[in-house]
Amino acid sequence: MQSEYMYQLLLKMKDGDQQAFHTIYDATYQDIYRTVSFLVDHQQDREDVMNEIYMQMWTSLANYDTNRPFHFWLHGLVIRQVQRFRVKSWRRFRIFERIRAFSREESHWDKPGVLTDGTNQMIAKAIQKLTDKQRVVIILRFFHDYALEEIATLLDIPLGTVKSRYHAGLQALRKNLWNLPPERMEKDNDY
């Protein structure tokens, strides 16, 4: 979608135009769902987070600075909604833990679908094995091409923390993807 066209849609959406919202939703849904799929394990939870993201987009569009890239702002919403989801999940977990032992549902990572479209299945599984904090940085860096400084801004954490998580994530991926071609990997000190 061209940026001028997107800008016009955003202006219409700020004025309450639902058709503009649907057009933006259609243009961004797959990218956002793919990102959420990497960050949230369970299918039903993904749908809940997606609903929250687009509800938040609709309600907070007045806060959007049209001088900044829309996708950057939208990815910030994604990260914040996933973090809120995790906080809620953790609270629920603690409650249920008191009642019974926690048993994790089987992961959906083995199923083909939008999650692995355009992504090697082996890489998707290796990314799923990363910690949540490492996974967010790796996904923002490799799937959305954000610079480490931009990721620090999106996550509202220091650049050094982003670099640390990035390197730890890469090391974990190297460990899990022993046969990944060398041209796909970055050098240790290459930012």
Side-chain angles (χ1 to χ4, degrees):
M1 184 176 292
Q2 304 218 351
S3 61
E4 181 59 33
Y5 180 63
M6 177 69 85
Y7 179 75
Q8 295 302 321
L9 287 174
L10 291 171
L11 291 178
K12 288 181 181 177
M13 202 169 108
K14 275 186 170 182
D15 293 336
D17 186 341
Q18 291 185 2
Q19 185 58 40
F21 173 79
H22 288 292
T23 304
I24 290 174
Y25 176 85
D26 290 340
T28 59
Y29 178 80
Q30 285 187 325
D31 179 52
I32 298 303
Y33 188 78
R34 185 175 177 205
T35 301
V36 170
S37 295
F38 275 110
L39 300 175
V40 177
D41 288 339
H42 304 289
Q43 177 68 30
Q44 183 59 46
D45 295 338
R46 290 180 200 149
E47 298 298 327
D48 293 343
V49 171
M50 289 294 292
N51 289 336
E52 292 295 323
I53 289 168
Y54 283 99
M55 287 291 293
Q56 186 68 33
M57 183 178 86
W58 178 260
T59 58
S60 65
L61 190 62
N63 300 329
Y64 169 62
D65 179 5
T66 54
N67 294 323
R68 299 184 69 187
F70 174 71
H71 282 92
F72 187 79
W73 179 76
L74 184 57
H75 287 140
L77 286 180
V78 170
I79 298 302
R80 284 189 293 279
Q81 289 302 322
V82 168
Q83 289 171 341
R84 284 185 191 138
F85 167 76
R86 286 186 180 144
V87 169
K88 286 181 189 174
S89 293
W90 178 244
R91 288 180 183 150
R92 278 186 301 193
F93 171 75
R94 289 176 42 193
I95 292 170
F96 288 120
E97 188 180 52
R98 292 178 186 157
I99 300 171
R100 62 184 167 120
F102 176 74
S103 64
R104 188 174 176 169
E105 294 178 27
E106 185 175 320
S107 176
H108 297 277
W109 288 94
D110 295 336
K111 297 179 181 177
V114 69
L115 172 63
T116 57
D117 287 350
T119 306
N120 183 311
Q121 182 94 13
M122 186 174 63
I123 293 173
K125 286 182 180 180
I127 290 172
Q128 184 59 24
K129 291 179 182 176
L130 299 175
T131 65
D132 291 339
K133 293 177 179 178
Q134 292 170 349
R135 192 179 326 141
V136 168
V137 171
I138 294 294
I139 289 170
L140 290 174
R141 176 75 180 108
F142 289 105
F143 288 94
H144 299 294
D145 293 327
Y146 286 118
L148 295 178
E149 293 82 7
E150 292 174 315
I151 294 171
T153 302
L154 260 175
L155 300 177
D156 197 25
I157 58 177
L159 178 60
T161 304
V162 172
K163 288 178 180 178
S164 174
R165 291 177 185 173
Y166 176 70
H167 282 288
L170 284 180
Q171 285 179 342
L173 287 175
R174 284 187 183 111
K175 184 178 178 182
N176 293 323
L177 299 172
W178 49 270
N179 60 350
L180 190 65
E183 63 269 6
R184 297 288 309 258
M185 304 303 289
E186 297 185 16
K187 295 178 183 173
D188 276 340
N189 296 322
D190 186 18
Y191 293 111

